[in-house]
Amino acid sequence: MSIWKKPTAWALVIGLLIPSMTVFASEPKDDITGISLEQEMRGLIEEEVIQGYGEGIYKPFQDISRGEFATYLARALKLPSGSQQFEDVPSSSSLAAGINAAAAADLVTGYNEDEFRPNQTINRQEIALIVSKAMDYLQMPEEQKAIEFLDRAEFTSSVFVKAVYANAYYEIIQGFPEDNDQFTFRPKKEATRAEAAAFVYRLLEAEQNLAAPGEEPGLSYKVGSIASDGTMTYKAGTYTSYEDAESQLDDQYTVISYDDQVVYMEDGLVITKVNPGINQTYVYDSSSLTTMLYGVQGNREMKYLDATEDYVKVSVAGQEVFVKQEQVKLLPKQQIKDRSYFTVDSDGNLVFYVYNFGTERFEGSLAIGPAPSFLKQGVKYTSWDGATFYTLDGKQVGKEYNYFNLLPARTETSYTAEELDSYIEDMLVLVEDRYKKDPKTYIRYKDATTKSKLIGLGEYLKQKEEEENINALLILAMAIHESDFGTSSHAQNNNNLFGIRVFDSNPEDGSSYTTPEKSVDALIEEYLNKNYVNPAGDYANGPNPGNKAMGINVRYASDPHWGLKVAGQMYRADKALGGKDLGKYQIGLTNTTNLNVRTQPSVETSTFLYQYKNSGMAVALLDKTTESDGSIWYKVISDAREAEEAYIYSVYVNEIPITD
């Protein structure tokens, strides 16, 4: 688990949890639906490079063999056939044609003249070397981009390093982001079928993106107008620079495109891409694009503000930030077919529908809390921060905050260990029942009531709540969301309930623990208490689930909706158990940067406890006191472990409207 986390399987269990939940908008149709490398695998499936193991079965996380990868390349590059070269690759083998073709093109070699070892797995540095040979075959210019990998010493030879640098130049790879914003490559890690597909898919993309011989790359800018039905009409002529095209904009022509991709528009959405090597889009604090803030999962929407040749200015969770032009897609408002939205169900729940712009379908629906009174049933609304709501045409209708999304982690749940266990058991009955009704789709829920790694966890969560001051319901909600009720492969195989060290770029990887309780310890000790809830931590952006502007979500997960999904899990558990937690604490938001929090309601050096560097931090308000000097202070729950309570001067905290 790090700031670059994979998308979780939340959409696969929503709609099961309480009777008022909305049902699925769509169901997965195969075993690559929803994985981070879905786009790459689908691209090769459509080109019949990958053929699978039967209807809907592609085994994306299975290690790939040397013979399979040679066949991928042969099919993708449409290599001419080659004669039989290896005794262990008989002509009767289904992989013989691909291996022989790749060998004839000098893309692969054997261990000797007679032995290829087609069934032996292939590691990442070996694939990078073969792909670099494919670049030579395609006559792509020899270029390199040096990346200082933390594990550079693990490469077997400099030949592999050179090959990886060639891959990096064409953005075929970048590596695995680590907690300190550096990268590893993991050269000796066996490659999966999904990873191999990504190498080949991005190789083809890189080759296609090279300018054709004799073409002048500078003559690609055009200006256009968009009709209400989304049809684009271009003005005659092309332009040698962005500035030349920009000078042609007027009331009629409002769009600039480059190679038929929109790079400027008046209004619309900015869609994050699944970018090579990182599988997400990086977000920066300024137009200089030098200080990276966090990553956002691919195929999600951002609010468009402005664009230049190099960057796009966007709003993420109400915060103005910047992204690189090449890492996003601009979608003019006239071309928007569907998007994520909020609505109110018949039971008064606020339901969030999440749209995936890559698959062009809704992933599912999620009840995240009670609906604000100003929202109407049957109407679709948008919100960038989960609090300020607009109609689809952009009219603001009101602002109220989601309680569980803002609830600080050092609060306490009202529920006992027995009640938490009872909720877990009830939910496992529901998900197992879904398997019984549709075994093919919900095979992971088979025997959920006996195999789930969440069974009996309530007592330990309450113990840690008392010892570590972390809300037990929050931890349970995170475990439910990240582990799909304790049934995910990471939970089942590694006792990893929270996707710890599971990266977007390698979703099958992750930390292993001897027991589920040990993963709870790791989450609290190595992440929450160390870096996320701790105000002095490296990733301290607020102690609540939050979003991409504030809270744990900023750096914990690339999914911009992670905080709302966790809050939704807390809300549904609370509702099922009697609603004793909703509204238990009064919550405020700080309104200034570099705010000093104190042990006593007085401004003295000796009372300093910690500092909030950023504005907008959620605090649980316990009391409001007036001192003898007339100053007014809030007593709050301390985010620092060394004190249970703390004080903030009242002018620096805003009481906010919360839906309850």
Side-chain angles (χ1 to χ4, degrees):
M1 193 274 319
S2 78
I3 58 176
W4 315 120
K5 293 185 73 271
K6 74 173 186 69
T8 53
W10 69 274
L12 304 183
V13 295
I14 55 180
L16 311 178
L17 307 183
I18 56 177
S20 59
M21 286 296 297
T22 307
V23 297
F24 283 62
S26 60
E27 301 288 1
K29 63 182 181 180
D30 51 39
D31 62 355
I32 64 172
T33 299
I35 70 170
S36 62
L37 299 179
E38 177 179 357
Q39 176 181 326
E40 288 86 344
M41 289 207 72
R42 290 207 187 283
L44 296 193
I45 290 168
E46 290 173 4
E47 295 297 322
E48 298 184 345
V49 172
I50 298 176
Q51 297 177 352
Y53 297 86
E55 184 177 357
I57 301 174
Y58 298 100
K59 301 183 181 180
F61 303 136
Q62 177 176 288
D63 291 346
I64 192 169
S65 70
R66 285 167 46 82
E68 288 174 321
F69 186 68
T71 299
Y72 276 18
L73 269 182
R75 291 171 181 165
L77 303 183
K78 297 179 172 57
L79 298 178
S81 59
S83 59
Q84 183 176 351
Q85 298 193 30
F86 306 103
E87 290 185 359
D88 60 352
V89 185
S91 57
S92 58
S93 169
S94 61
L95 300 177
I99 294 171
N100 292 334
D106 291 328
L107 303 186
V108 298
T109 58
Y111 287 87
N112 53 52
E113 293 183 357
D114 301 321
E115 187 179 21
F116 184 76
R117 302 179 192 175
N119 298 322
Q120 181 173 301
T121 56
I122 185 170
N123 63 38
R124 287 171 50 80
Q125 67 176 0
E126 292 168 337
I127 281 188
L129 179 59
I130 294 173
V131 170
S132 70
K133 292 181 179 180
M135 294 177 195
D136 294 337
Y137 178 85
L138 294 171
Q139 298 182 338
M140 296 168 66
E142 294 185 10
E143 303 284 357
Q144 292 190 350
K145 177 182 178 182
I147 296 180
E148 292 302 319
F149 294 115
L150 295 175
D151 56 355
R152 190 183 187 283
E154 296 182 18
F155 284 87
T156 304
S157 75
S158 60
V159 173
F160 292 118
V161 175
K162 181 179 178 181
V164 168
Y165 286 172
N167 279 253
Y169 176 82
Y170 287 106
E171 297 187 331
I172 294 170
I173 62 97
Q174 182 165 332
F176 298 90
E178 301 294 342
D179 287 344
N180 54 5
D181 293 341
Q182 293 180 288
F183 293 83
T184 56
F185 183 73
R186 306 179 195 177
K188 297 179 182 179
K189 176 190 172 299
E190 304 302 326
T192 65
R193 287 168 56 81
E195 288 178 313
F199 272 94
V200 176
Y201 179 88
R202 294 168 188 166
L203 168 67
L204 298 179
E205 277 199 328
E207 194 269 339
Q208 291 171 0
N209 289 337
L210 291 174
E215 180 182 337
E216 295 182 55
L219 301 178
S220 298
Y221 288 104
K222 295 186 286 187
V223 296
S225 61
I226 305 180
S228 58
D229 64 357
T231 303
M232 182 87 74
T233 302
Y234 288 108
K235 190 174 184 178
T238 58
Y239 303 91
T240 58
S241 70
Y242 182 91
E243 290 75 17
D244 289 342
E246 188 177 29
S247 69
Q248 299 299 310
L249 295 174
D250 54 29
D251 292 341
Q252 178 183 359
Y253 292 100
T254 59
V255 173
I256 301 176
S257 70
Y258 180 79
D259 285 345
D260 296 324
Q261 296 294 315
V262 175
V263 294
Y264 176 86
M265 60 189 181
E266 283 192 324
D267 193 13
L269 297 176
V270 178
I271 311 303
T272 57
K273 290 183 179 179
V274 183
N275 289 289
I278 58 175
N279 294 310
Q280 55 193 302
T281 292
Y282 284 154
V283 175
Y284 298 84
D285 69 339
S286 71
S287 58
S288 66
L289 303 175
T290 54
T291 302
M292 189 266 292
L293 297 174
Y294 48 78
V296 175
Q297 189 180 86
N299 299 317
R300 302 303 181 198
E301 62 198 77
M302 299 174 168
K303 183 178 181 181
Y304 173 81
L305 299 177
D306 197 7
T308 69
E309 181 178 10
D310 299 316
Y311 66 79
V312 182
K313 186 178 181 181
V314 299
S315 176
V316 179
Q319 181 183 59
E320 291 187 1
V321 288
F322 299 82
V323 292
K324 293 180 179 179
Q325 270 279 5
E326 64 267 23
Q327 288 196 355
V328 294
K329 174 184 177 181
L330 271 57
L331 184 64
K333 66 178 181 180
Q334 299 91 334
Q335 295 181 347
I336 298 173
K337 298 178 181 178
D338 267 315
R339 60 180 300 181
S340 298
Y341 67 89
F342 296 81
T343 192
V344 182
D345 71 10
S346 59
D347 292 316
N349 295 306
L350 180 62
V351 181
F352 184 32
Y353 285 80
V354 179
Y355 188 72
N356 185 310
F357 286 85
T359 60
E360 296 187 342
R361 64 174 179 263
F362 286 94
E363 294 179 346
S365 59
L366 173 72
I368 62 171
S373 59
F374 53 77
L375 300 184
K376 299 179 180 179
Q377 187 176 338
V379 179
K380 295 180 180 180
Y381 301 94
T382 62
S383 177
W384 297 105
D385 59 3
T388 309
F389 293 89
Y390 304 83
T391 58
L392 292 186
D393 60 5
K395 179 181 178 181
Q396 183 174 334
V397 294
K399 185 172 185 177
E400 277 189 2
Y401 291 84
N402 179 286
Y403 177 78
F404 287 108
N405 188 247
L406 287 186
L407 185 66
R410 297 211 188 280
T411 54
E412 294 182 5
T413 181
S414 303
Y415 301 110
T416 65
E418 292 76 17
E419 288 173 311
L420 296 180
D421 282 334
S422 173
Y423 177 71
I424 293 170
E425 291 169 4
D426 289 345
M427 294 304 101
L428 293 178
V429 170
L430 288 178
V431 298
E432 187 172 301
D433 185 59
R434 177 150 288 211
Y435 159 74
K436 293 175 182 177
K437 293 178 179 178
D438 187 355
K440 183 177 180 180
T441 301
Y442 299 105
I443 183 64
R444 66 191 179 282
Y445 295 145
K446 182 181 180 183
D447 302 324
T449 55
T450 57
K451 76 175 184 181
S452 170
K453 295 293 184 172
L454 301 184
I455 296 171
L457 199 61
E459 182 177 354
Y460 196 73
L461 295 180
K462 289 296 291 185
Q463 176 186 329
K464 302 309 287 188
E465 180 180 72
E466 181 177 354
E467 295 174 352
E468 304 290 347
N469 294 336
I470 297 292
N471 189 300
L473 188 62
L474 170 63
I475 300 299
L476 176 59
M478 290 177 63
I480 290 172
H481 173 62
E482 294 285 353
S483 72
D484 199 359
F485 279 96
T487 68
S488 71
S489 60
H490 295 293
Q492 290 291 305
N493 299 329
N494 303 321
N495 290 313
N496 187 341
L497 300 180
F498 306 100
I500 295 175
R501 299 196 64 78
V502 177
F503 302 97
D504 279 335
S505 49
N506 195 38
E508 73 278 12
D509 205 359
S511 296
S512 295
Y513 302 95
T514 54
T515 66
E517 288 80 5
K518 290 296 184 182
S519 76
V520 174
D521 292 344
L523 175 74
I524 293 175
E525 297 167 11
E526 299 174 22
Y527 295 95
L528 298 184
N529 276 343
K530 180 180 180 181
N531 281 324
Y532 288 89
V533 179
N534 174 13
D538 290 342
Y539 305 142
N541 291 284
N544 56 300
N547 52 41
K548 277 299 180 181
M550 52 89 78
I552 298 169
N553 194 170
V554 175
R555 299 278 283 189
Y556 186 91
S558 65
D559 179 358
H561 310 308
W562 179 91
L564 278 182
K565 294 170 184 177
V566 170
Q569 295 289 0
M570 297 179 74
Y571 167 66
R572 292 192 293 279
D574 178 56
K575 188 169 183 178
L577 290 171
K580 292 185 286 187
D581 272 5
L582 181 63
K584 178 179 178 180
Y585 293 91
Q586 184 179 2
I587 302 174
L589 292 177
T590 64
N591 57 30
T592 188
T593 58
N594 301 318
L595 174 60
N596 291 333
V597 180
R598 301 185 177 277
T599 58
Q600 297 294 328
S602 61
V603 182
E604 300 174 20
T605 302
S606 62
T607 64
F608 175 82
L609 180 59
Y610 58 85
Q611 184 181 81
Y612 286 127
K613 295 180 181 179
N614 301 324
S615 179
M617 300 296 98
V619 290
L621 310 178
L622 299 177
D623 197 5
K624 196 173 187 179
T625 64
T626 301
E627 299 305 300
S628 58
D629 61 359
S631 62
I632 302 174
W633 295 75
Y634 279 111
K635 181 165 70 171
V636 303
I637 292 179
S638 169
D639 287 341
R641 292 294 312 284
E642 55 266 34
E644 292 185 2
E645 299 172 350
Y647 291 85
I648 303 176
Y649 195 47
S650 63
V651 297
Y652 299 125
V653 177
N654 295 333
E655 296 185 21
I656 56 175
I658 291 181
T659 307
D660 55 21

